[in-house]
Amino acid sequence: MNLGIYQRRVEEVPTLCQQVGVVSKVVGLTLEVKGIKPFVGEVCLVEVSPGRYVVAEAAGFREDVVLLMPFGELTGIRPGCRVYPRRRPFTVRVGEHLLGRVLNGLGEPIDGKPLPSGMPLPVNNRPPSPLTRRRIEEVFVTGVRAIDAFTTCGQGQRMGIFAGSGVGKSTLLGMIARFSSADVNVIALVGERGREVLEFIEKDLGEEGLAKSVVVVATSDEPALLRLRAAFVATTIAEYFRDTGRHVLLLMDSLTRFALAQREVGLAVGEPPTTRGYTPSVFALLPRLLERAGNAEKGSITGFYTVLVEGDDLNEPITDAARSILDGHIVLSRQLAQANHYPAIDVLGSVSRLMSAVVTPEHREAADLLRSLLAAYRQNEDLINIGAYVSGSNPTVDRAIALYPELVAFLRQKPEEQTSFPECVERLKELAERGR
């Protein structure tokens, strides 16, 4: 007796018997639905009117009530709307056709051009196994002197860019996207202002940068779940290109707005607020997202994640949590920005945990020397500015004062100015030699 035929037919039964639920209540950002039993993370379709559906995701359940979070607006949803579970998690279609395209948080095009269908991949992938990750041993060139010289990154490293609002994050991201040594850029704009999206694409990224990039956008007015999904969609696209053996640059602006979106979702499904109103799921979700970047058996994802520092407080919860997960941080200083020093990178407050593994001893020694001179100048800056410092009191400060104008000129860089890594290291060594 051939049981295989009957087994296949039994497995087909769930697809033939369509479960249908109904909306019983709308509470805040969530829909309460009865009559279906989807798994957490399952995609569901809410029929708003004949032929018109809103995509939602199962976010939790309470006894026989399922809590759905919609990807679209709640307008038009009423009691009794039918809900159809799709029996699959959320997926995004990937492929080479994504290069040069601008997508929304669902992976759909928003640039007015048709998008060929590609290979579907689930967005909630697991990070690579720790034992299959290649060690980080090669330099990742950003083309920004202050980063390449003092906080050198490696291919597969994850860096945070910590800054308050209005100190040049977008411009710095655009410079890294245009000048970096990556094969492909994947850029996630999560919770950005709507007017800034086109400005970033045309002004900061440029036509040349867009040609090798995929941009995923979820603006601040869109539902929290869509902003969350944008970050995971971008990471999944980056993983696809990484698995083809390429070196991928993943830029995400911003990690803080991703955390705020998860806080909205967590509070909506009944999680208790903890530190500064953030729910426990926020701090559980951050490593799940960030650990997906890095080296795999072939290819790499080098990640730069901006973190909005609330009130310029570098110890606020999201900043502190991100710093503990990432492999280094670049701090943008409002004081430097106000002095028209761009990029406004605070070299003394920034660190790359893998710099010593990817640079030569000569490079590290030169960077350490110039850091010490810059620190000596900063410690005595007030005395120097008011003329109270007496020349000859401290030889280190004397050398710092003599070298300071050249060091500042080296750290400043115009947005359209690119410096190769060998040239950057050579200039760094020349400065260090004059500062000895």
Side-chain angles (χ1 to χ4, degrees):
M1 184 176 182
N2 189 356
L3 296 177
I5 296 174
Y6 300 101
Q7 183 177 351
R8 284 196 299 273
R9 289 184 177 178
V10 168
E11 289 172 349
E12 289 171 1
V13 170
T15 63
L16 299 174
C17 301
Q18 174 71 63
Q19 275 190 332
V20 179
V22 292
V23 175
S24 61
K25 189 187 294 185
V26 176
V27 181
L29 303 175
T30 62
L31 305 176
E32 293 192 2
V33 178
K34 293 183 177 180
I36 55 174
K37 294 182 179 180
F39 58 84
V40 173
E42 182 174 342
V43 174
C44 299
L45 296 181
V46 182
E47 188 176 23
V48 179
S49 59
R52 179 172 168 248
Y53 299 90
V54 171
V55 181
E57 184 178 286
F61 49 87
R62 191 182 300 118
E63 296 177 354
D64 61 339
V65 175
V66 176
L67 304 178
L68 299 186
M69 295 290 294
F71 288 108
E73 297 293 333
L74 293 172
T75 306
I77 295 177
R78 63 191 184 281
C81 280
R82 292 190 173 193
V83 179
Y84 302 93
R86 303 298 293 165
R87 305 191 185 283
R88 60 174 176 81
F90 185 77
T91 59
V92 60
R93 293 189 172 272
V94 298
E96 299 295 325
H97 60 275
L98 293 178
L99 289 173
R101 303 302 302 273
V102 184
L103 313 175
N104 64 12
L106 297 176
E108 299 167 342
I110 58 172
D111 52 10
K113 305 172 190 175
L115 189 69
S117 61
M119 178 175 64
L121 286 180
V123 299
N124 289 318
N125 292 327
R126 297 290 302 166
S129 166
L131 297 182
T132 62
R133 291 180 183 263
R134 289 177 294 107
R135 292 183 61 186
I136 297 174
E137 298 174 327
E138 296 179 41
V139 171
F140 180 85
V141 180
T142 65
V144 180
R145 288 193 297 268
I147 298 175
D148 289 343
F150 291 98
T151 54
T152 315
C153 302
Q155 279 183 2
Q157 186 168 349
R158 302 157 307 155
M159 293 286 286
I161 299 177
F162 296 83
S165 56
V167 293
K169 292 189 304 301
S170 296
T171 303
L172 179 60
L173 289 180
M175 290 173 70
I176 295 171
R178 292 196 309 275
F179 301 154
S180 78
S181 57
D183 300 320
V184 175
N185 302 326
V186 180
I187 302 167
L189 303 177
V190 180
E192 284 293 298
R193 303 175 187 90
R195 68 163 184 83
E196 290 182 333
V197 174
L198 189 61
E199 182 180 328
F200 175 81
I201 293 170
E202 294 183 347
K203 178 185 172 185
D204 296 324
L205 188 58
E207 188 175 342
E208 182 182 349
L210 181 61
K212 67 169 187 176
S213 302
V214 183
V215 183
V216 181
V217 177
T219 53
S220 58
D221 61 302
E222 294 184 295
L225 197 60
L226 196 59
R227 282 176 270 144
L228 274 179
R229 281 292 161 264
F232 286 106
V233 164
T235 304
T236 303
I237 294 171
E239 288 172 334
Y240 163 76
F241 286 109
R242 178 201 63 196
D243 292 341
T244 63
R246 281 177 272 195
H247 300 299
V248 181
L249 170 63
L250 174 61
L251 299 174
M252 190 170 295
D253 186 16
S254 73
L255 198 62
T256 305
R257 294 192 178 114
F258 169 82
L260 290 172
Q262 178 58 29
R263 182 173 72 176
E264 286 184 47
V265 172
L267 291 173
V269 298
E271 277 192 83
T274 55
T275 312
R276 295 203 187 179
Y278 289 102
T279 57
S281 63
V282 173
F283 302 101
L285 198 62
L286 284 174
R288 279 179 49 199
L289 175 71
L290 298 176
E291 283 293 336
R292 288 171 64 176
N295 285 341
E297 293 182 81
K298 60 178 184 177
S300 66
I301 300 175
T302 305
F304 284 82
Y305 303 85
T306 68
V307 180
L308 280 168
V309 182
E310 185 181 338
D312 292 338
D313 177 13
L314 287 169
N315 294 314
E316 61 93 23
I318 299 303
T319 303
D320 198 45
R323 190 167 50 225
S324 68
I325 301 167
L326 296 167
D327 303 317
H329 53 273
I330 298 166
V331 177
L332 301 188
S333 163
R334 189 174 300 280
Q335 186 177 358
L336 290 175
Q338 290 170 346
N340 200 35
H341 179 121
Y342 290 103
I345 296 173
D346 180 7
V347 170
L348 298 180
S350 305
V351 65
S352 170
R353 295 178 182 172
L354 291 164
M355 179 174 175
S356 59
V358 296
V359 302
T360 62
E362 295 79 16
H363 180 166
R364 187 172 63 249
E365 183 182 343
D368 290 345
L369 174 63
L370 293 177
R371 273 179 182 272
S372 64
L373 292 179
L374 186 58
Y377 187 92
R378 292 272 178 88
Q379 289 169 0
N380 295 273
E381 191 167 12
D382 291 340
L383 293 175
I384 295 167
N385 288 338
I386 64 174
Y389 175 76
V390 179
S391 180
S393 302
N394 187 320
T396 303
V397 177
D398 292 340
R399 294 199 308 274
I401 293 172
L403 195 65
Y404 188 72
E406 291 182 70
L407 184 53
V408 169
F410 175 76
L411 294 174
R412 280 181 169 166
Q413 188 172 343
K414 294 179 181 178
E416 64 278 4
E417 181 186 357
Q418 181 179 2
T419 305
S420 68
F421 189 70
E423 180 188 351
C424 174
V425 174
E426 190 61 34
R427 290 178 63 180
L428 180 77
K429 290 178 180 178
E430 288 174 4
L431 277 174
E433 192 60 37
R434 286 201 287 275
R436 294 186 194 281

